[in-house]
C-alpha cells in the first residue's frame, strides 16, 4: 500500500525528469546484410507475410506505386534477384496500396530486409497466445504492431529483429484488433506499438506474460534502447557509494532509483524494490542499497527511502536527489523539501486549530500605551504570527491565561510584530518571541526563563508581589519563610529569600535583587545582619548566609547558586541551571520515585566532602521520560534500573556506569569514584560531532550554470575581458526548462497550480499548449 | 587660511548660519548645503535635522516643491496612494504609498492628505509645505543658487569647500554639497519650424481650446500621453511622434515608462479611432506653416535643398513624392512633451559635473554611492540621481529616492561624524527570522529592488551576526569604509529581483506559466522576489566591475532565491522558510533548526556539542517547553520521540504491523550509536 502511494507521487516527479532529459543516445544501427529470394515476386502484404517461410531470408521492397525516381533502383533490384537467389535469398516486391492508409508510408517506401525466421507474423489472438505459451520459461517476446507495412516503424522493427532476433522472439502484426486484445484500451490504431513480453520468467502457464510497452516512437534507436533496458537486471544490488554505481540506465541517461535496505528488512525491501522496478521498467533503473548513511544524515526515520541519481553530464543538469518518504504529502520530494524542524512542523500541523485567545488582549500601535495603564501589571507577548517558535510560545501563553483566569491586577496581552513593527521597535524587541511585564507607572521586566506554561505562570504570579517586599513584623517574616505570606504566592512553589538587615546597613543593597525579600531584624536564624535567609519547601529548611560587601551582581550570583538543590531531581526544565555549574553529574536513574535507601546514600554523597567536585542528582524516568532516550544512546537498549552513572558533560564528555552488582552506598560509590579518578575504569565518550546542516539546500548557482551555460556566471579570470553579452538564445533556454519540468509536476498534483505569482485556477485543459506558447 | 579660522569660530558658534567675513567676500557657512526643497531635499533635511547636523536647504521659490506647483500640468500624479492593503504593518504599507516622505511623524503620511489613488499635484505641494513646517526643517526660501564653485583647503572634509552664490550675490560656504534640484530644464529639440511648437510647460490644459483641432504631439513619455489623454475627446485626431517605441510600464516594471492610467491614446490608436503613433527622429523633422496657419510636416532634407528665393508655397512636402505619407494632413497645433533634464549651468568647471552617456545624458554622472564622479563631497539626490538605476528601479521617484537619500545620509554620518551605519546584532538563531521579517515588510528593499540591499555581516564562528539595512549594493566593495562595519567572516546580501529576461519593452509579460510555484525552481521566478547572495569574502572592486551584465552583484559563493509569491507574502513554512534555512545552514555549515526543550535535554546528555538553538536558548534557561499538543504533533511527524513509559515498555505486540512500523520509526528518530564501552560492559554483567 505504502509503496503504491509513493509510486504515484514518484512517477509524477519522475516523469518530469524523463521529459527534461535530452537522451544520450548511442547509435548501434547495424547495417543489415541483404537477404535474398528467388526472382522478384510481386505480392500483397498479407500474401507476403503468409509466404514467409521459416528459415528463409527475403529482401522485400515495399511500394505503393513505383515512383519515377525509384524506377532505376527497382530495375537494379530486379537484376540482382537472380544473383541473390543463389544465396537462398528471395526478392519480393510488396504492393502496399491497399494497406497504406497513413500518409507516411508512400514517402517511406524503401528496401526492407526481411528475415522471416526472426519475425513471426500473426493475425489472430490465438496465434499470438500460441507463440507466447511456447516461449514461457524459455525466452522473451517482442510484439510489435504496425498500422501498415512498409512504414518506417515496420522497417525499424525488422531491423531490430535482425539484431535481437536470436535473443528474443519477434512477433509482428498489422491487425488493430489484436492490439485491443492485448490490453490496450482504446488504442490509437494509427500509430505503431511495441510491447516487450517477459515470458522467460513466466512460471504460471495460465497467466499471460508480463508486458512492458515502449513509450517512445518506434525507431530503431528507441527499440534498441528499450530492449537494452528490458535486458538489464530488474534490481541491481549495490553496496558501494551510490555516486560510483554505473548501470545501463545511467548510461542511457535515465535515472537510477536507490532504495535503501536494512539488514532486518532485506526481504521486504527486496520485494518492494522489485515492485517499484516493475512500475518503472523502461523509465528508470532500481538499485537496492544495502547500507548507506543516509539515515544518519537525516536524523529521523524514512520508512521508504528512495533517491534518484542521474548521470551528470554536460547536457543533463545534476539534480538534487529525490526522496520518497511518508513525510511528503505527495509521496516524493527533494531531500531539501523535508521539514525536519520539529517546532515548525508541529506548529504547522496545528494551524487548523483555533487557539482560545479570548483571555489575551490584542494590542495595536494605537492601544498599546493606553492598555499599559489599565492593570497594575500588563504582560505583553511580542511575537510574529509567521514564526514557529512564537506560535509555540503563544500556545503556552494561552494555557497561562487559562491558569490566571480571574487573577486580579494582571492583564495578559500580545502584540503581533508582523502587524505592528513600530511598537516592537519602540519597545526594543528585536527577537521573537519576547515577553515583558510592564508595571503601571514603572518600567518593564523582560522574562528570561523557560518558555513553558508553569514557569511563565509562576513568574507572573511572583512578579505581582512587590520586590523587595518590606516585612515589618516577625509574624509576617515567619509566614513569608513558610511560603504562606503574601497569600497570593502560597499556591506557587518557590523559594523565599529573606534579607536580614540592621537599620544601619539597610541602604543600597536590594535594588537589583529580583527575589521577594524583606527588611527584617531578627537573630532567630543564627546569622547576624546583614544576611540572607533561604527558605525552601515551605520553610522546613531554612539556611542563612552572612553578607559582607558583595556587589549586587555577586549577590545575584550567590542567590542563584543557593537556589539550587543539594540533591536535585533533574528535569528538562531545571537541567540548564545545574549545567551552569560546569561540574560532572553523579546521576541516579530511577524508574519512578527514588528508593529511600538510595536517596539517603546519595544525599550523604551530595553533602559529603567532594560536594564541590560534582553534582549529585537523580532522574525520575516516569516524570522525565526522555531519560529513556538518554539511556538508549548510552546502552542501545534500556538496561535494568535503577542505575547510577557518572556523566561528565563538560571536558571530554565521559560516561561511566556504576557496577550494577554493587549496592549504592556512600562507601561503594566513593571507592568507585576513586577508581575513576585513578583511571582504572575505561570511559565511554559522548559524540563530539558538530551540528552540520542536516540536509542539502538547492544549489541554484549550479542549476543556473547548467541551464544557461552561456551565462557568464563564472568569475572569469581572463583579465580585462569585456563581459560577454548574453546571447539571444539564452532567453529561450531559460524559459523552456521550467515549463517542461513544471508540466509533468503539475500532472502529479493538481493543487500545485495555485502557487507562485500567477495562479491558474483552471489549469488542466490548458496544459497541452504550454510549449508552443513560450 | 581665513576659511579655516572661520570654521573654527563656527565650531564654537552653536547656531547655524553665522556670518563670517573672509577677505572681501562675506559668506555664510554650513556643514551641509542642500540645493532644492523638493521631496529629496526635504527628505535629506529631515535626516540631517534628526542627526542634529548643521545644514541649510536653499529653495529658489517661496515654498517647497515648486516643480509640483506647475507639474504635472494636468495635475494628476501617477504615484499611487493606496489607502488599504489589508495589513496594518506601517513599513509594509509604505510599499504601496509612493508619495510619503520618511519621518517619525505619523501625521505625515500621504493618505492623510488625499484619498485619491492618483492624487492631485496640489496635494503634494501642500504635503511638502507641511513636511517642512511640521518638522521645522531649515529651509531658506527665495534663494536661487546661481553659481557653485570649489575652494581648495586641506582642512576641509573633502579637501575643498563648496562656495555657493545666490541671485543676490550672497555667498555661502559648505563642507558638503547635496544637490536635490531634480530635473526641471525642459528638453527642447531645434529644427526648422520649431518656433511653431508649443511646450508642455505652457500649453493650454483646457480641452475646449483643442475642440475640432488636429494635434501633433512630440514625445512619448507620460507627459505626452497625459497631454493627449486630456484632449483625446475633443480633437479631430492626435498623432504622436517619437524616436523610440512606446515602453509600457507594466511590461518593463519601470514606473517611469508609460503608465496604464495615461495610455488612452493607445486604445484609440489600436481601436482605429483616428489617433496614431509614429516613430521618427525629431532631428529630421521640419514644420512649415501655410497661409491659413496650418502646420505641415516635412523633412529637414527638403528644406535644405530648396531654392531659397522661392516662397513658402514652393516647399516640397513629403506627400508630393509619397502620396500616402503618414503625416500629410496638416496640424492645427504641435505640442512638445519631451521631458526634462538636469540644470548643469550653475556649476563651475572645476566641479566637472558631466552629463551621463546615452539615454542618461539628462542626469549628472554619479557613482553608485550617489557621490559625484569627479568632486568628492558632492552628492546628488532625488530625481537627478536616477542615472544609478535609470529604467530599472525607482530611484528617480519619491518612493525610491526617499530610501536612497537615507542611504546617502548614513554614508555621510559615517564619513564625517564617525557614526557607523546603524546595525543590530542578533544571535545566529535569529538569522532566518531576520531575513524573513525584512523581505516581507521592508519597503526600501522592495521599491529600490536591485539597488539597495540588506547586508548580514557574520561575526566570528557564526554565532552572531550584524544586520545592516538598505545599503547601496553598487558600492558593496567599499562596505567597510563606507559603513564603519567590518566584514571579515563572510556576508549575506539580501536584495529583491525580477526574473532576468522577464521584463522588457517588447516582452510578453502575460505568457502562460510565467509564475514559478515550486521552491526548487525559485531561481526562475519572474516576479519580484527576494534573492540572497552569500560571499565568503567581501567582493573586491574588480569583481564588482567584472560582474556579469544585468547582474547587480558578482558571482557569489552561493545564491538563494525565495520563490515568487502571488501575495508577496514569503512566510510559508515549507515553501519559503524551510529552503531559506537550508541555504543558510549550508552556507554556514551549521544546523539552524528549532528544538523543543526535551530534545535539547537529550542532546545535552548525549552530545558534547549542542545545536545553536539549544545552546543559545535552552542552555541559557530559555528552552522551548512547548505545549502537550505541539509535542504530540512533533511525535506524529516522527521528529520527536515519545518516550512515555507506556509506549516504551516494549511488550507491544510485535506482529501488529502498525506497532512495528512505529518502532521502526522510533528507532531512527535520533541516530542510535550506543557508546561502545557501555554496551560491552552491559554484556559482561
Amino acid at each position: 500500500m505504502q509503496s503504491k502511494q509513493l509510486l504515484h507521487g514518484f512517477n509524477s516527479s519522475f516523469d518530469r525528469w524523463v521529459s527534461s532529459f535530452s537522451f544520450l543516445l548511442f547509435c548501434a544501427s547495424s547495417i543489415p546484410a541483404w537477404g535474398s529470394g528467388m526472382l522478384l515476386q510481386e505480392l500483397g502484404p498479407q500474401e507476403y507475410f503468409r509466404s514467409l517461410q521459416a528459415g528463409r531470408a527475403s529482401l522485400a521492397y515495399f511500394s505503393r506505386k513505383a515512383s519515377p525516381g525509384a524506377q532505376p533502383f527497382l530495375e537494379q533490384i530486379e537484376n540482382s534477384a537472380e544473383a541473390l537467389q543463389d544465396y537462398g535469398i528471395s526478392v519480393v516486391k510488396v504492393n502496399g496500396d491497399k494497406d497504406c492508409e497513413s500518409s507516411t508510408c508512400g514517402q517511406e517506401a524503401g528496401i526492407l530486409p526481411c528475415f522471416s525466421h526472426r519475425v513471426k507474423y500473426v493475425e489472430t489472438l490465438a496465434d499470438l497466445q500460441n507463440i507466447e505459451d511456447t516461449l514461457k520459461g524459455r525466452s522473451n517476446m517482442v510484439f510489435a504492431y504496425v498500422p501498415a507495412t512498409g512504414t518506417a516503424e515496420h522497417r525499424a522493427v525488422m531491423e531490430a529483429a535482425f539484431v535481437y532476433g536470436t535473443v528474443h522472439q519477434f512477433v509482428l502484426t498489422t491487425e488493430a484488433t489484436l492490439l485491443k486484445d492485448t490490453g490496450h484500451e482504446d488504442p490509437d490504431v494509427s500509430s505503431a506499438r511495441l510491447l516487450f513480453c517477459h515470458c522467460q520468467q513466466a512460471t504460471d502457464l495460465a497467466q499471460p506474460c508480463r508486458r512492458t510497452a515502449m513509450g517512445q516512437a518506434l525507431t530503431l534507436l528507441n527499440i534498441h534502447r528499450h530492449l537494452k533496458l528490458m535486458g538489464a537486471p530488474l534490481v541491481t544490488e549495490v553496496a558501494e557509494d551510490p555516486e560510483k554505481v554505473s548501470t545501463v540506465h545511467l548510461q542511457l541517461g535515465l535515472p537510477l532509483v536507490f532504495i535503501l535496505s536494512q539488514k532486518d528488512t532485506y526481504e521486504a525491501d527486496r520485494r518492494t524494490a522489485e515492485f517499484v522496478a516493475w512500475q518503472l521498467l523502461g523509465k528508470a533503473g532500481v538499485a537496492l542499497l544495502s547500507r548507506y548513511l543516509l539515515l544518519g544524515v537525516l536524523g529521523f526515520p524514512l520508512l521508504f527511502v528512495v533517491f534518484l541519481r542521474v548521470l551528470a553530464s554536460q547536457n543533463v543538469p545534476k539534480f538534487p536527489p529525490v526522496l520518497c518518504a511518508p513525510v511528503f504529502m505527495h509521496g516524493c520530494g527533494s531531500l531539501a523539501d523535508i521539514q525536519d524542524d520539529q517546532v515548525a512542523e508541529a506548529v504547522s500541523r496545528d494551524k487548523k486549530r483555533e487557539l482560545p485567545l479570548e483571555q489575551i488582549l490584542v494590542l495595536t500601535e494605537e492601544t498599546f500605551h493606553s492598555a499599559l495603564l489599565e492593570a497594575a501589571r500588563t504582560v505583553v507577548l511580542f511575537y510574529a504570527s509567521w514564526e514557529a517558535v512564537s506560535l509555540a510560545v503563544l500556545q503556552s501563553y494561552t494555557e497561562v491565561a487559562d491558569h490566571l483566569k480571574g487573577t486580579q491586577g494582571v492583564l495578559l496581552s500580545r502584540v503581533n510584530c508582523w502587524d505592528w513593527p513600530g511598537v516592537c521597535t519602540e519597545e526594543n524587541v528585536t527577537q521573537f518571541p519576547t515577553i515583558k511585564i510592564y508595571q503601571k507607572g514603572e518600567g518593564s521586566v523582560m522574562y528570561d526563563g523557560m518558555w513553558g506554561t508553569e514557569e511563565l505562570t509562576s513568574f507572573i504570579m511572583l512578579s505581582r508581589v512587590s520586590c523587595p517586599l518590606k516585612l515589618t513584623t516577625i509574624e509576617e517574616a515567619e509566614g513569608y519563610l513558610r511560603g504562606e505570606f503574601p497569600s497570593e504566592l502560597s499556591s506557587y512553589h518557590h523559594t523565599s529569600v529573606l534579607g536580614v538587615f540592621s537599620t544601619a546597613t539597610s541602604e543600597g543593597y536590594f535594588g537589583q535583587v529580583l527575589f521577594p525579600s524583606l527588611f527584617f531584624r531578627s537573630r532567630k536564624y543564627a546569622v547576624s545582619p546583614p544576611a540572607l535567609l533561604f527558605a525552601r519547601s515551605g520553610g522546613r529548611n531554612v539556611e542563612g548566609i552572612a553578607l559582607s560587601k558583595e556587589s549586587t551582581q555577586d549577590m545575584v550570583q550567590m542567590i542563584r547558586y543557593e537556589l539550587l538543590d543539594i540533591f536535585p531531581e533533574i528535569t528538562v526544565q531545571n537541567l540548564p541551571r545545574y549545567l551552569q555549574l560546569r561540574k560532572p553529574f553523579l546521576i541516579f536513574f530511577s524508574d519512578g520515585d527514588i528508593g529511600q535507601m538510595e536517596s539517603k546514600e546519595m544525599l550523604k554523597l551530595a553533602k559529603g566532602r567532594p560536594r564541590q567536585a560534582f553534582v549529585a542528582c537523580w532522574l525520575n524516568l516516569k516524570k522525565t521520560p526522555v531519560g529513556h532516550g538518554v539511556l538508549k544512546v548510552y546502552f542501545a537498549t534500556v538496561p535494568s534500573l535503577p542505575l547510577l552513572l557518572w556523566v561528565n558533560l563538560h571536558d571530554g564528555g565521559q560516561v561511566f556506569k556504576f557496577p550494577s552488582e554493587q549496592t549504592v552506598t556512600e562507601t561503594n560509590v566513593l571507592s568507585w569514584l576513586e577508581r575513576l579518578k585513578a583511571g582504572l575504569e575505561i570511559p565511554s565518550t559522548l559524540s563530539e560531532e558538530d551540528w552540520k546542516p542536516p540536509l542539502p539546500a538547492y544549489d541554484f548557482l549550479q542549476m543556473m550554470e547548467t541551464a544557461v551555460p552561456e551565462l557568464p556566471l563564472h568569475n572569469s579570470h581572463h583579465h580585462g575581458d569585456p563581459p560577454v553579452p548574453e546571447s539571444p538564445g539564452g532567453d529561450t533556454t531559460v524559459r523552456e526548462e521550467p515549463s517542461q519540468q513544471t508540466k509533468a509536476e503539475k500532472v502529479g498534483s493538481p493543487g500545485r497550480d495555485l502557487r507562485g505569482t500567477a495562479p491558474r485556477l483552471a489549469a488542466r485543459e490548458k496544459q497541452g499548449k504550454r510549449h508552443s506558447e513560450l | 587660511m581665513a576659511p579655516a579660522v572661520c570654521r573654527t569660530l563656527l565650531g564654537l558658534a552653536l547656531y547655524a548660519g553665522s556670518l563670517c567675513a573672509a577677505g572681501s567676500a562675506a559668506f555664510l557657512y554650513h556643514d551641509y548645503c542642500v540645493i532644492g526643497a523638493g521631496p529629496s531635499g526635504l527628505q535629506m533635511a529631515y535626516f540631517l535635522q534628526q542627526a542634529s547636523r548643521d545644514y541649510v536647504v536653499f529653495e529658489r521659490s517661496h515654498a517647497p516643491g515648486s516643480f509640483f506647483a506647475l507639474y504635472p500640468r494636468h495635475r494628476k500624479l501617477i504615484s499611487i496612494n493606496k489607502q488599504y492593503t489589508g495589513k496594518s504593518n506601517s513599513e509594509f504599507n509604505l510599499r504601496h504609498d509612493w508619495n510619503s516622505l520618511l519621518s517619525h511623524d505619523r501625521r505625515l503620511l500621504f493618505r492623510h492628505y488625499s484619498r485619491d489613488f492618483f492624487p492631485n499635484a496640489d496635494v503634494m505641494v501642500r504635503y511638502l509645505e507641511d513636511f517642512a513646517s511640521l518638522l521645522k526643517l531649515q529651509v531658506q526660501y527665495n534663494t536661487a543658487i546661481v553659481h557653485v564653485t570649489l575652494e581648495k583647503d586641506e582642512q576641509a572634509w573633502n579637501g575643498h569647500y563648496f562656495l555657493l552664490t545666490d541671485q543676490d550675490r550672497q555667498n555661502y560656504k559648505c563642507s558638503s554639497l547635496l544637490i536635490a534640484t531634480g530635473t526641471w530644464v525642459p528638453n527642447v529639440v531645434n529644427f526648422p519650424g520649431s518656433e511653431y511648437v508649443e511646450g508642455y510647460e505652457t500649453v493650454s490644459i483646457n480641452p475646449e481650446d483643442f475642440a475640432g483641432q488636429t494635434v501633433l504631439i512630440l514625445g512619448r513619455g507620460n507627459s505626452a500621453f497625459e497631454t493627449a489623454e486630456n484632449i483625446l475627446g475633443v480633437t479631430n485626431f492626435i498623432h504622436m511622434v517619437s524616436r523610440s517605441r512606446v515602453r509600457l510600464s507594466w511590461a518593463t516594471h519601470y514606473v517611469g515608462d508609460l503608465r496604464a492610467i495615461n495610455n488612452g491614446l493607445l486604445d484609440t490608436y489600436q481601436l482605429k479611432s483616428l489617433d496614431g503613433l509614429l516613430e521618427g527622429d525629431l532631428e529630421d523633422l521640419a514644420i512649415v506653416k501655410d497661409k491659413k496657419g496650418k502646420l505641415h510636416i516635412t523633412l529637414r532634407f527638403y528644406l535644405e535643398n530648396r531654392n531659397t528665393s522661392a516662397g513658402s508655397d514652393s516647399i516640397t512636402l513629403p506627400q508630393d513624392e509619397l502620396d500616402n505619407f503618414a503625416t500629410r494632413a496638416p496640424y492645427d497645433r504641435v505640442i512638445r512633451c519631451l521631458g526634462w533634464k538636469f540644470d548643469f549651468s550653475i556649476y563651475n568647471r572645476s566641479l566637472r559635473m558631466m552629463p551621463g552617456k546615452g539615454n542618461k545624458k539628462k542626469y549628472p554622472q554619479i557613482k553608485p554611492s550617489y557621490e559625484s564622479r569627479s568632486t568628492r563631497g558632492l552628492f546628488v539626490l532625488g530625481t537627478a540621481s536616477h542615472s544609478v538605476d535609470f529604467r530599472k528601479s525607482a530611484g528617480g521617484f519619491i518612493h525610491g529616492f526617499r530610501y536612497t537619500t537615507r542611504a546617502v545620509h548614513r554614508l555621510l554620518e559615517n564619513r564625517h561624524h564617525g557614526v557607523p551605519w546603524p546595525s543590530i546584532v542578533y544571535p545566529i538563531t535569529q538569522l532566518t527570522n531576520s531575513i524573513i521579517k525584512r523581505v516581507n515588510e521592508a519597503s526600501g528593499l522592495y521599491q529600490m529592488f536591485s539597488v539597495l540591499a540588506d547586508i548580514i555581516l557574520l561575526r566570528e564562528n557564526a554565532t552572531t551576526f550584524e544586520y545592516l539595512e538598505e545599503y547601496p549594493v553598487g558600492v558593496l566593495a567599499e562596505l567597510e569604509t563606507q559603513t564603519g562595519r567590518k566584514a571579515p567572516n563572510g556576508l549575506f546580501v539580501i536584495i529583491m529581483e525580477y526574473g532576468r529576461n522577464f521584463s522588457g519593452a517588447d516582452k510578453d509579460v502575460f505568457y502562460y506559466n510565467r509564475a514559478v510555484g515550486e521552491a526548487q525552481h525559485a531561481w526562475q521566478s519572474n516576479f519580484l522576489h527576494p534573492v540572497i547572495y552569500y560571499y565568503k569574502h567581501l567582493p573586491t572592486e574588480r569583481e564588482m566591475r567584472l560582474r556579469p551584465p544585468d547582474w547587480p552583484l558578482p558571482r557569489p559563493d552561493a545564491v538563494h532565491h525565495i520563490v515568487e509569491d502571488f501575495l508577496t507574502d514569503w512566510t510559508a513554512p515549507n515553501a519559503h522558510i524551510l529552503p531559506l534555512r537550508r541555504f543558510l545552514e549550508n552556507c554556514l555549515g551549521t544546523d539552524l533548526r528549532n528544538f523543543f526543550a526535551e530534545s535539547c535535554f537529550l542532546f545535552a546528555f548525549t552530545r558534547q556539542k549542542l545545536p545553536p538553538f539549544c545552546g543559545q536558548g535552552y542552555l541559557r534557561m530559555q528552552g522551548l517547553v512547548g505545549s502537550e499538543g505541539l509535542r504530540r504533533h512533533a511525535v506524529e511527524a516522527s521528529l520527536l520521540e515519545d518516550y512515555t513509559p507506556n509506549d516504551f515498555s516494549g511488550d507491544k505486540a510485535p506482529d501488529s504491523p502498525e506497532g512495528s512500523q512505529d518502532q521502526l520509526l522510533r528507532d531512527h528518530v535520533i541516530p542510535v550509536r550506543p557508546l561502545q564501552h557501555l554496551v560491552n560492559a552491559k554484556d559482561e554483567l
Side-chain angles (χ1 to χ4, degrees), chain B residues 127-171:
Chain B
Y127 173 83
L128 295 174
E129 277 169 11
D130 275 10
F131 191 86
S133 61
L134 282 175
L135 297 169
K136 301 192 172 57
L137 304 179
Q138 305 291 319
V139 186
Q140 188 175 319
Y141 296 103
N142 301 309
T143 308
I145 300 300
V146 294
H147 193 247
V148 180
T149 187
L150 289 180
E151 181 190 271
K152 289 259 179 284
D153 188 327
E154 284 182 10
Q155 304 288 308
W157 290 353
N158 297 296
H160 49 244
Y161 290 107
F162 295 91
L163 298 183
L164 280 58
T165 310
D166 74 7
Q167 78 278 20
D168 300 326
R169 300 259 154 235
Q170 173 64 54
N171 292 319

Side-chain angles (χ1 to χ4, degrees), chain B residues 3 9 24 34 36 84 106 126 167 253 287 291 364 384 398 435 447 577 611 643 647 685:
Chain B
L9 287 174
S24 59
V34 183
Y84 306 103
R106 272 189 287 162
R126 193 157 55 82
Q167 78 278 20
H253 293 120
I287 294 175
K291 284 170 187 155
I398 295 177
I435 296 174
Q447 311 286 26
I577 300 177
Y643 293 104
D647 283 347
L685 295 175

Side-chain angles (χ1 to χ4, degrees), chain A residues 575 585 587 630 634 647 649 686, chain B residues 601-607:
Chain A
L575 174 70
F585 282 21
I587 183 165
V630 174
Y634 291 169
V647 184
L649 297 175
L686 297 178
Chain B
F601 177 92
L602 181 70
F603 300 148
F605 260 111
T606 55
R607 312 266 300 239

Side-chain angles (χ1 to χ4, degrees), chain A residues 585-589 598 601-602 605 634-635 639-640 642-647 655-676 681-682, chain B residues 677-678 681-682 685:
Chain A
F585 282 21
L586 181 66
I587 183 165
F588 186 82
F589 281 79
E598 286 99 343
E601 294 298 320
M602 287 296 287
L605 281 162
Y634 291 169
F635 302 103
S640 60
L643 182 72
L644 183 66
L645 293 175
W646 174 270
V647 184
V655 180
F656 297 92
K657 180 175 170 278
F658 182 71
S660 51
E661 68 274 12
Q662 291 186 34
T663 47
V664 177
T665 64
E666 189 185 7
T667 341
N668 284 348
V669 174
L670 282 177
S671 65
W672 178 60
L673 290 181
E674 285 305 317
R675 282 176 60 77
L676 298 190
E681 301 277 332
I682 304 157
Chain B
H677 173 67
L678 290 182
K682 190 196 125 218
L685 295 175

Side-chain angles (χ1 to χ4, degrees), chain A residues 299 336 338 340-342 350 395 418 451 572 634 652 687 691 705 735 741 745 756-757 766 770 773, chain B residues 89 433 511-513 518 521 555 564 566 581-582 594 596 599 605 608-609 618 621 623 627 633 639 669:
Chain A
I338 299 171
D340 52 353
D341 183 312
Q342 48 184 233
D350 204 57
Q395 290 222 352
W418 169 222
W451 298 111
V572 169
Y634 291 169
S687 158
W691 287 84
E705 277 166 3
R735 204 66 50 69
Q741 295 189 359
E745 198 165 66
T757 55
K766 294 285 196 291
R770 291 188 180 188
E773 279 164 359
Chain B
N89 187 316
N433 281 353
Y511 69 89
Y512 270 116
N513 293 322
E518 299 292 323
H521 303 138
R555 181 191 160 87
E564 58 183 307
F566 197 51
R581 168 168 65 82
R582 294 230 180 288
N594 302 311
F596 287 113
S599 299
F605 260 111
Q608 292 196 43
K609 289 171 184 156
Y618 181 72
M621 288 175 279
S627 70
H633 280 305
L639 291 169
V669 170

